[in-house]
Amino acid sequence: MDEGEVQAKRRQNEEEATARRARILGLIYLDTREFEKDIPLTMNLLEKQQMHSDFIIPLQEGDEIKPYQFMVTSQTPSSTIEKIEDEYSSKGLRTEFFLISNSAYQVFMLRYDPPMQVHYDDIEIASEGDSETIHQVSKTLDSVSTDRVFDYLLDQADKLGSSDIHIENMRDVIRIRMRVDGILHPVAEISKDKYRIFMGELSSRANVSTASNKPQSGHMQMDIHRDGASHVLNIRVEMVPTMYGHDAVLRLFNFDESLLNLDLLGITEEERHEIEEVVSHPRGLLLMVGPTGSGKSTTLYSILNALNTTERKIITLEDPIEYGIPGISQIPIYTNDGGSFADGLRSVLRLDPDVVMVGEIRDGDTARTAIQASITGHLVLSSFHANSTSAAFSRMIDLIGVNPIFSSSVRLLIAQRLVRRLDDNKEAYKPDESTKRYIKDVLKDVDLSDYDFDLNDITLWREKPSDNSPFGFNGRTAIMEQLVVTEPIQKFIRGDVRDINTNDIEKTARAEGMLTLEQKGVIAALRGVTTIDEVGRVI
């Protein structure tokens, strides 16, 4: 999905929510997308100051026959609407009010009151050894006004689809790098003066101190308005003192409820079916495993979004809350201040939830509490740090010991990685003999009857950079290893098997039909989704 499609999806999602809100408020909903950029403006009905303060836009100047029309948002005070109605009705004139989305309001206000601002060049990612691009971006950053440099950098990172920004102190300069599609790219070098302005703004917004000599964590939000749509950018801030100053990493969570969708994860129908089969039951435990940055949170939120109906009570415990989802009760757990997931979970179970999401299982107490909840009528989702589903079983048994209750509670484990997805402008090639042997060895026990490739005539794909896709990749897609807990797997948890190790668990799971991360990755490479080198780098 390209940037234009993403923006259109965001706007569509917002318009649908506004239509629902209009029915609740008893107002007429108006979708302005077809005319908002070219309809003549009505200039004489309202002052710009009131349009800003009361979130109201004039639409049509009326007379004794036709009504005066105004567009309002969910933030418009009801007293404003009543005052305008009374003012016009006292003169024998009629009024009509239409509810529009916040994005529509922003588009109209940009036309009524366009900001006086300088337009700066967009940031470009430099390829390896490309010092000229870094130099040019550095010049652009130095030219950005001091009061805008912070917002400019965040806006550009969001536009590039960056997952995090790294601000790193070196002896003479400050290096800025951005992670795009899982790869860190150098962007610019800025002066110490610009760095101090940036860090001052960061400390005030994220509530961190540039004077502290200890690592700190913070959080902030920023509204992004682009191409007639808007969304909220959640930013998690990690700051640590180094030899030359404070380094900071800003992790960007582009909140868009419409994109938290199982259909957009790039998973197969079979994988989707296995997830739906588990979450359709009223109780049980589903674990997401993988390292930081593997997309665990996005997958868990997508599952929660699919479960988010008026019939279910859903509660999450998170440290910190990464996405805000309407209809779900989300509770922050401040583990740095002594809070624990186990205590929070015990408390929320008294609220009679149907579904509980625990941000992460980090200790035996949380693990045992989650297991207890999953066998007493709750569906529990959580994440766990392990390299694979089989390793997660071994680690969980190390945490809580051999536990028959665990065997009846855990239903599905998903190990996940994110690989870069090849752009459509990719190039086919025939691999060398060693690569062919590797592929055949990895897939030797896999039933490939449902796939349209031939291991006797292997074709792979590689990136082909272009002006529109400088690195030949376009976004990332999830590779999933799904271990469905069957009776042979339960024997390990119950203690029926004396010697428990990761290899034996994986061997049993593969005999039950599980495909490993490596096998899934190689299949994705054969299908042309990614490259075999990318599979090797990530998996």
Side-chain angles (χ1 to χ4, degrees), residues 186-382:
V187 170
E189 294 176 348
I190 61 174
S191 65
K192 293 281 186 178
D193 290 340
K194 217 72 169 179
Y195 163 79
R196 281 191 284 270
I197 294 167
F198 184 92
M199 295 302 285
E201 190 75 13
L202 177 64
S203 62
S204 64
R205 292 202 201 182
N207 195 28
V208 292
S209 172
T210 54
S212 174
N213 60 359
K214 296 180 180 179
Q216 301 170 82
S217 297
H219 179 264
M220 55 177 287
Q221 289 186 332
M222 178 178 172
D223 291 324
I224 301 288
H225 304 288
R226 187 180 300 116
D227 299 331
S230 59
H231 63 276
V232 176
L233 190 65
N234 277 304
I235 303 148
R236 186 193 300 178
V237 178
E238 303 293 339
M239 198 158 71
V240 63
T242 67
M243 179 183 293
Y244 298 114
H246 283 81
D247 281 10
V249 175
L250 284 65
R251 297 193 63 198
L252 312 182
F253 298 93
N254 183 346
F255 172 63
D256 186 342
E257 185 187 349
S258 67
L259 300 182
L260 296 175
N261 189 322
L262 288 172
D263 291 331
L264 302 178
L265 295 181
I267 60 178
T268 65
E269 286 188 20
E270 184 179 355
E271 290 167 337
R272 171 76 179 264
H273 175 74
E274 287 180 348
I275 293 173
E276 291 179 336
E277 171 64 22
V278 169
V279 300
S280 66
H281 289 268
R283 65 178 184 86
L285 176 64
L286 183 152
L287 285 178
M288 285 291 307
V289 304
T292 300
S294 59
K296 299 190 302 295
S297 295
T298 300
T299 299
L300 281 175
Y301 277 109
S302 297
I303 295 172
L304 285 177
N305 216 20
L307 292 168
N308 188 13
T309 64
T310 55
E311 293 83 21
R312 290 190 181 95
K313 172 74 170 181
I314 302 177
I315 299 179
T316 71
L317 303 168
E318 304 173 62
D319 177 24
I321 295 172
E322 295 176 358
Y323 301 97
I325 303 180
I328 293 178
S329 301
Q330 295 173 262
I331 301 172
I333 301 295
Y334 302 105
T335 54
N336 289 341
D337 297 329
S340 77
F341 283 114
D343 291 340
L345 183 54
R346 280 189 282 266
S347 298
V348 302
L349 291 178
R350 303 187 190 108
L351 304 178
D352 191 29
D354 298 293
V355 182
V356 180
M357 195 270 274
V358 181
E360 185 181 343
I361 291 179
R362 300 175 182 172
D363 53 66
D365 191 17
T366 305
R368 283 184 285 269
T369 307
I371 290 166
Q372 190 65 38
S374 68
I375 64 170
T376 55
H378 307 87
L379 177 63
V380 180
L381 314 177
S382 189

Side-chain angles (χ1 to χ4, degrees), residues 130-141 187-189:
D130 182 6
S131 59
E132 180 57 35
T133 299
I134 295 174
H135 176 69
Q136 188 59 46
V137 175
S138 301
K139 283 179 62 178
T140 300
L141 277 175
V187 170
E189 294 176 348

Side-chain angles (χ1 to χ4, degrees), residues 460-478:
L460 292 176
W461 303 82
R462 57 189 166 212
E463 64 273 28
K464 186 178 180 182
S466 64
D467 291 340
N468 294 328
S469 181
F471 298 97
F473 292 96
N474 182 12
R476 290 188 289 176
T477 190

Side-chain angles (χ1 to χ4, degrees), residues 6 35 60 88 287 316 337 414 434 531:
V6 169
F35 59 82
Q60 173 184 280
Y88 281 87
L287 285 178
T316 71
D337 297 329
I414 303 174
S434 63
T531 69

Side-chain angles (χ1 to χ4, degrees), residues 104-121:
Y105 170 80
Q106 294 289 343
V107 173
F108 275 105
M109 285 309 301
L110 284 174
R111 293 183 62 200
Y112 274 102
D113 191 18
M116 298 293 293
Q117 56 178 286
V118 179
H119 291 278
Y120 301 101
D121 293 337

